[in-house]
Amino acid sequence: MGNRFQVKDRFADGAQYIDGRLRAGTSGRSHTVVDPATGQEVLTYELAGPADVDEAVAAARRAFPAWSGATPGERSDALHRLAAVLAAQAEDFAYAESLQCGKPLKLTTEFDVPGTIDNTAFFAGAARHLQGQASGEYSGDHTSSVRREALGVVGSIAPWNYPLQMAAWKILPAVAAGNTIVLKPAELTPLTSLMFAQAAKEAGIPDGVVNIVTGAGRDAGEHLVGHPDVVMTSFTGSTAVGKRVAEIATATVKRLHLELGGKAPFVVFDDADVEAAAHGAVAASLINTGQDCTAATRAYVQRPLYDAFTARVAELMETVRLGDPFAPGTDLGPLVSHAQRDRVAAFVERARGYATVVTGGEIPGGDLAEGAYYRPTLITGAAQDSEVVQSEIFGPVLVALPFDSDEEGLALANDTPYGLAASAWTRDLYRANRATRELKAGCVWVNDHIPIVSEMPHGGYKASGFGKDMSSYSFEEYTQVKHVMVDNTAVAAKDWHRTVFGDRT
């Protein structure tokens, strides 16, 4: 797989994909994609500047009339073909995603890539079901109906933690609804977004429908969001950057969709299965080396189970195998960069002053010293208002805190600015139902944490943003609702006209 997929050859023409072809950026600055497992160069490319964004938007605008005018069946067929292309190239996608992100190959092979293929197949079907309200005579004299229409050119920005899946989450509902798109992936991880656009061309999706500009946020990103021909912006990333995106989009009155940070609570009640909860907490806190906005980061455990839970979590964390992402036995790869690893390590080092690092909290040496690795970490004894409890760390770090009453546990779980995801662990139906009602998050799991499906929406409350990815609900973000009202009376002088001029006859 690795031998036949040569990154530098694949992207020799550049890391911008505009109007159906790869080309170099024109910003005058370059960027290097680095393998975070080794620190070695993968690809150096020229970054996009405002001129590249302008060309990409122009290409998308040219492609819009024909693509939005295609029938739902035609768009559906194209997306079905795209799913087939992605499936045929699944190994290359998995390899590239692991190479640029440091994800274990078993994660990209069993989660990132098949999840993206499934998303594509879902939206291929959903493209045929862009429906409005059924026609009806709501006024008595008119027939009303609702149309869902494509918006135009969408300008989206995707993050570095799930480059392939986030590209798909942005591109698929937009193009299924008849829009065209310009996507800016993170500079650190552009490879699979570019490959996705190339796959779309292979599937017969017309040039200009899907465009990729790879540049810095302050240059390419802000220019894309503020572009007068971009009618909607969808952004996934940190809450801080999301606020800046909102400022720019609001200034130009754009449709806006934000999926921002998270600090997901993991609430374990005293009747829970401790073994299941401990396994779930380790998997949910360490997935993608903790670089997941829905990852379990705050475990609130009812006091009777607290000691057993923390002991078992620490024990399980110590069995996790760090190593080469391409080695069959690797459980946990590096973080996406050395800078991100150092940021996570700094959080933990500061926490030592007010809490206990039970296990982990180390940058490994030896064979892993050159990579951006960090050991799975469990912290206890932190106060609710402390940094590690309130701030998004985005690394393999779980903080555990005890609680007494159910009311206290749910209140603590809701006590952050974020509200993207949460889970409740209990064998009691009433407790579970209460938790799903009262936890302020866009996704609440019961006795599990992390699984997602294409048919269900993903999006947050509070500072985690608004709007939905995946599912048919995403079409609410990417379509304009139009009310059409047709007179049925053929009467020239209508009765309501007298409210403006004349008298009732």
Side-chain angles (χ1 to χ4, degrees):
M1 177 169 55
N3 290 333
R4 66 181 176 82
F5 180 81
Q6 300 297 326
V7 173
K8 292 181 181 180
D9 291 343
R10 179 74 174 258
F11 301 110
D13 293 331
Q16 317 302 324
Y17 189 82
I18 299 173
D19 207 12
R21 68 181 184 88
L22 287 171
R23 39 160 286 185
T26 62
S27 70
R29 294 184 296 114
S30 63
H31 184 83
T32 299
V33 177
V34 174
D35 176 358
T38 63
Q40 296 179 356
E41 175 192 348
V42 173
L43 176 72
T44 296
Y45 65 92
E46 299 299 315
L47 288 163
D52 303 299
V53 173
D54 290 343
E55 289 194 30
V57 172
R61 191 176 180 188
R62 287 193 301 270
F64 175 72
W67 183 248
S68 61
T71 67
E74 288 169 337
R75 292 197 295 268
S76 174
D77 288 348
L79 291 175
H80 277 300
R81 293 193 300 270
L82 175 57
V85 173
L86 295 173
Q89 298 177 11
E91 286 190 352
D92 283 350
F93 274 97
Y95 175 82
E97 195 78 335
S98 291
L99 185 64
Q100 67 181 350
C101 299
K103 299 170 185 272
L105 192 60
K106 68 177 180 178
L107 180 65
T108 58
T109 301
E110 298 179 29
F111 182 72
D112 297 72
V113 174
T116 301
I117 296 168
D118 185 72
N119 260 254
T120 307
F122 170 81
F123 280 107
R128 291 179 177 266
H129 297 283
L130 275 170
Q131 297 174 346
Q133 190 172 355
S135 296
E137 286 67 48
Y138 299 98
S139 77
D141 292 336
H142 307 80
T143 296
S144 286
S145 62
V146 171
R147 292 173 56 88
R148 282 195 175 274
E149 297 181 347
L151 297 168
V153 179
V154 176
S156 293
I157 299 176
W160 48 256
N161 58 333
Y162 289 101
L164 175 59
Q165 287 206 25
M166 295 298 100
W169 286 15
K170 303 300 183 193
I171 292 169
L172 292 170
V175 301
N179 301 286
T180 56
I181 189 168
V182 178
L183 175 76
K184 191 198 90 66
E187 307 96 293
L188 291 173
T189 55
L191 303 183
T192 48
S193 298
L194 293 163
M195 292 168 63
F196 191 92
Q198 291 176 309
K201 182 181 178 75
E202 290 184 47
I205 294 175
D207 292 348
V209 173
V210 178
N211 306 274
I212 309 294
V213 290
T214 309
R218 290 193 178 276
D219 296 332
E222 292 196 3
H223 191 65
L224 178 62
V225 174
H227 199 289
D229 291 334
V230 169
V231 298
M232 175 187 166
T233 291
S234 178
F235 170 81
T236 296
S238 72
T239 298
V241 178
K243 290 178 180 178
R244 175 61 180 157
V245 169
E247 288 175 3
I248 299 170
T250 302
T252 50
V253 198
K254 290 186 187 343
R255 178 79 63 91
L256 183 61
H257 168 216
L258 298 175
E259 199 266 90
L260 306 177
K263 191 70 177 174
F266 187 100
V267 184
V268 183
F269 294 99
D270 59 12
D271 66 326
D273 181 330
V274 176
E275 189 70 6
H279 276 82
V282 172
S285 63
L286 300 184
I287 186 170
N288 202 31
T289 319
Q291 299 165 124
D292 187 314
C293 49
T294 64
T297 60
R298 299 178 291 138
Y300 294 101
V301 187
Q302 209 149 22
R303 207 169 293 275
L305 297 186
Y306 181 76
D307 289 343
F309 174 86
T310 53
R312 186 61 174 138
V313 166
E315 183 178 48
L316 290 171
M317 280 187 169
E318 289 167 3
T319 69
V320 173
R321 299 164 295 183
L322 276 68
D324 177 2
F326 298 99
T330 295
D331 296 321
L332 200 70
L335 286 100
V336 73
S337 68
H338 288 77
Q340 180 64 15
R341 183 212 50 199
D342 293 345
R343 179 180 180 275
V344 171
F347 269 103
V348 177
E349 290 309 306
R350 290 192 296 270
R352 292 185 194 276
Y354 56 80
T356 300
V357 177
V358 178
T359 189
E362 297 173 346
I363 296 173
D367 294 341
L368 304 181
E370 298 302 315
Y373 290 90
Y374 198 76
R375 295 200 183 281
T377 302
L378 174 65
I379 296 174
T380 61
Q384 175 67 13
D385 63 355
S386 63
E387 181 186 49
V388 289
V389 175
Q390 293 293 326
S391 298
E392 189 173 31
I393 300 172
F394 230 54
V397 179
L398 177 67
V399 184
L401 302 90
F403 69 90
D404 292 306
S405 67
D406 290 15
E407 289 77 12
E408 180 191 16
L410 294 171
L412 290 170
N414 286 329
D415 182 30
T416 71
Y418 301 106
L420 188 58
S423 64
W425 296 73
T426 177
R427 305 183 207 203
D428 186 311
L429 174 64
Y430 297 99
R431 264 179 164 167
N433 284 340
R434 179 185 181 184
T436 60
R437 289 193 308 271
E438 296 187 14
L439 287 168
K440 302 303 181 186
C443 178
V444 179
W445 293 280
V446 176
N447 295 327
D448 209 340
H449 193 117
I450 285 296
I452 54 175
V453 290
S454 298
E455 292 82 0
M456 289 291 110
H458 177 88
Y461 284 33
K462 303 189 291 186
S464 291
F466 47 82
K468 299 299 179 184
D469 289 311
M470 298 198 300
S471 81
S472 59
Y473 290 96
S474 64
F475 285 133
E476 295 175 7
E477 316 298 324
Y478 293 97
T479 55
Q480 183 67 265
V481 173
K482 177 187 285 185
H483 171 214
V484 178
M485 197 173 197
V486 180
D487 172 60
N488 294 327
T489 67
V491 173
K494 294 179 173 57
D495 186 56
W496 74 266
H497 292 175
R498 69 180 178 80
T499 64
V500 181
F501 74 100
D503 299 318
R504 186 188 296 273
T505 57

